[in-house]
Amino acid sequence: MEKNKKVTCKTGLKKNILKKDVFDREMALCKKLAQENGNKCGWGVCAKCGVLPLLYKLHKGILLEKPEEIKEIKSAL
């Protein structure tokens, strides 16, 4: 990347950086750990966690920034 280009959250945003099988496994693991540990794991507390938005960004190429978008994917677990 050029030094003088401004990096943003959308810089290089692409689908399938994280393959589907890895995405599915990590989502399942997140759900399992949240259920077993009262909505927290080694990464932190689910309500404040950024893992799910990051997984979506790397697999689906979707940038989730609005609190209601993030809340929706977390509630789907």
Side-chain angles (χ1 to χ4, degrees), residues 9-64:
C9 292
K10 293 184 180 184
T11 301
L13 192 61
K14 298 177 186 174
K15 282 185 172 183
N16 296 319
I17 299 296
L18 189 67
K19 299 297 177 199
K20 182 172 179 10
D21 61 330
V22 176
F23 173 79
D24 290 343
R25 182 188 69 226
E26 295 303 316
M27 292 293 286
L29 181 59
C30 189
K31 180 178 183 175
K32 178 181 183 285
L33 290 171
Q35 289 174 345
E36 290 176 356
N37 298 301
N39 291 322
K40 60 183 176 179
C41 72
W43 289 93
V45 178
C46 294
K48 297 179 181 179
C49 185
V51 172
L52 294 182
L54 179 61
L55 290 173
Y56 267 73
K57 179 179 178 181
L58 295 175
H59 173 62
K60 297 183 182 249
I62 298 170
L63 185 60
L64 302 172

